[in-house]
Every structure is written in structure tokens, then in C-alpha cells.
Amino acid sequence: TNWPDVGEMIVYWLLAKTATPSQPTNLHAADITSRSVTLQWSPPVTTGGAELTGYIIEKRMEGADKWEKVVTLDPSVTLYCIQNLKEKSEYYFRVITENPMGLSPAAVTEKLALKTHASVPSPGCTGKPASASSCRYCATPRSVRCIAKSSRR
């Protein structure tokens, strides 16, 4: 007979036990200015049985047909500020979870209208804060690096 060896059986079992992750949860705009949106979300309910490799953020301006990739982030990052948006515009944003098996369905925001008055980006948008206490959007001290250092382009 032509039985698979033990190594092949383990590979088959591992493949059967892993899947794409579920979408991120609790996606919302933590801050909106005239030129930026800070998104925050929670990890997915299931990782698909594999470690997450990252989150992908995409944006789409109201009336546009195509989504535009903004950034791919490390899996520890659940807060990100999208800058240089067009003032007085409306956008949709989506966040997708990624693992070695593929991509999750997207978590999508409601339509977000940028503020019409001139305002500077929130403190988290300018780079690494001086300390955990100065980063008003970071949930934990370990995510102080969430804005500047953890993004991969």
C-alpha cells in the first residue's frame, strides 16, 4: 500500500487545524481631525490556529471604487493614525487580520467625516511619545511604540 509517512500525516493534521483568522473586533475612530483619523481595534476572536503576522489598514474616500492600502502593522499594534487625508472629506477605513494561512474578512468603519476646522494631528500622530503617560490613546505602556516604531511599509 501507499500510506503517507508520519511526517506527511503531521503536516496534513497541522494544515487541517489552521485557517485564516477572524476579523479584528471593536474597530472605531479614537480621534478625528481635519487631516487625520486615529483608528483603534481589538484582536480577532480567533487567530485561525496560527500566530498573527499583522494587520492591514486600507482607506477609501467616499465615492471612490477602490480601497487603497495605508500600512501593514505588527500584530501587537492595535492603534494607528492615518495622516495627510484630504480636509472636509469623508472616508471609510478597514482593518484586516493576517496569519500565514491568509487574510480575514475586513472590519469596516462607518463613514467618517473629517472635521472642517483646522486642527493639528493628535499627539499620537507625531511619532513616539516621550512616555506612556503622554500617549493618550495607547492602552498599555508596552504599546507606547505603537505609532512610530511598529509599522512596516
Side-chain angles (χ1 to χ4, degrees):
T1 62
N2 208 4
W3 292 92
D5 67 14
V6 172
E8 287 176 326
M9 290 173 57
I10 290 171
V11 168
Y12 293 139
W13 181 81
L14 287 172
L15 288 174
K17 295 293 181 188
T18 54
T20 58
S22 60
Q23 67 187 32
T25 57
N26 305 316
L27 175 62
H28 65 279
D31 189 42
I32 300 173
T33 71
S34 62
R35 303 250 340 190
S36 70
V37 171
T38 300
L39 297 177
Q40 188 168 22
W41 61 93
S42 298
V45 172
T46 176
T47 64
E51 286 200 32
L52 298 181
T53 55
Y55 293 105
I56 299 167
I57 298 178
E58 297 179 332
K59 66 179 179 181
R60 182 173 62 85
M61 190 181 288
E62 171 68 17
D65 293 330
K66 294 186 180 180
W67 288 92
E68 179 184 340
K69 183 176 178 179
V70 174
V71 68
T72 299
L73 300 167
D74 289 337
S76 62
V77 179
T78 57
L79 174 83
Y80 190 78
C81 180
I82 299 105
Q83 299 182 67
N84 301 316
L85 300 172
K86 186 176 177 184
E87 286 186 68
K88 302 179 185 176
S89 297
E90 296 176 323
Y91 286 89
Y92 294 93
F93 297 92
R94 66 184 184 183
V95 179
I96 301 164
T97 312
E98 183 177 29
N99 75 7
M101 297 302 292
L103 304 175
S104 72
V108 183
T109 65
E110 60 188 5
K111 182 170 48 176
L112 300 175
L114 298 184
K115 294 183 177 177
T116 56
H117 65 283
S119 61
V120 295
S122 60
C125 293
T126 58
K128 185 177 178 184
S131 68
S133 61
S134 71
C135 184
R136 71 179 199 198
Y137 297 114
C138 295
T140 64
R142 77 174 174 85
S143 51
V144 166
R145 62 186 180 84
C146 62
I147 302 300
K149 285 190 136 186
S150 294
S151 65
R152 301 184 316 229
R153 290 196 187 256

